[in-house]
């Protein structure tokens, strides 16, 4: 799979995992596992990228005597999910064309 396409898909998966409630690393990995396997190192790279893009914010809170980082989606992150939904229709059209199920203009 194209690296840029995969990166975009992973970003949206992470945003979707925190869309309804703030979450932390281990839980995000667990929540997206039915969709895709992701290592902690990959997840934390994505989280840093999304934070730099202002699509999420991070706060630390104590849990079980340790500090845990919680991630919160921003309006920009929510817009990215909505943009992805619109883009996905085009991606599916391309996919159908490639596998021979798309409409032709003949």
């Amino acid at each position: 799979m194209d690296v840029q396409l995969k990166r975009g898909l992973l970003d949206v998966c992470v945003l979707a995992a925190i869309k309804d409630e703030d979450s932390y690393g281990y839980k995000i990995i667990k929540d997206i596992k039915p969709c895709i396997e992701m290592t902690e190192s990959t997840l934390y790279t994505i989280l840093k990228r999304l934070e730099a893009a202002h699509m999420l914010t991070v706060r630390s809170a104590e849990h079980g005597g340790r500090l845990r980082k919680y991630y919160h989606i921003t309006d920009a992150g929510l817009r990215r999910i909505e943009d992805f939904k619109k883009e996905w229709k085009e991606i599916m059209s391309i996919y159908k064309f490639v596998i021979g199920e798309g409409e032709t203009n003949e």
Side-chain angles (χ1 to χ4, degrees):
M1 177 181 287
D2 177 71
V3 173
Q4 291 298 93
L5 178 60
K6 188 171 184 177
R7 177 184 289 181
L9 292 172
L10 293 175
D11 288 359
V12 172
C13 284
V14 170
L15 289 169
I18 63 172
K19 181 177 59 122
D20 296 326
E21 66 179 343
D22 293 358
S23 193
Y24 54 95
Y26 176 76
K27 186 171 185 318
I28 295 169
I29 289 174
K30 191 174 95 177
D31 289 346
I32 66 173
K33 190 174 185 174
C35 173
I36 190 165
E37 291 283 331
M38 184 180 298
T39 65
E40 285 184 39
S41 61
T42 299
L43 173 65
Y44 287 107
T45 299
I46 292 168
L47 291 169
K48 286 179 185 178
R49 181 171 57 244
L50 292 173
E51 183 181 11
H54 307 287
M55 292 188 199
L56 59 80
T57 58
V58 62
R59 68 177 169 82
S60 295
E62 189 174 327
H63 178 80
R66 297 178 49 185
L67 281 181
R68 177 184 279 171
K69 287 185 178 182
Y70 286 88
Y71 299 90
H72 175 80
I73 195 166
T74 64
D75 288 342
L78 291 170
R79 281 192 305 275
R80 178 62 194 113
I81 291 173
E82 290 307 310
D83 290 346
F84 172 80
K85 290 176 183 178
K86 293 173 190 168
E87 293 165 357
W88 191 250
K89 291 177 185 175
E90 183 179 357
I91 292 169
M92 287 306 298
S93 177
I94 294 167
Y95 171 76
K96 287 179 181 179
F97 174 77
V98 169
I99 65 169
E101 292 181 6
E103 295 179 23
T104 61
N105 292 329
E106 293 181 38

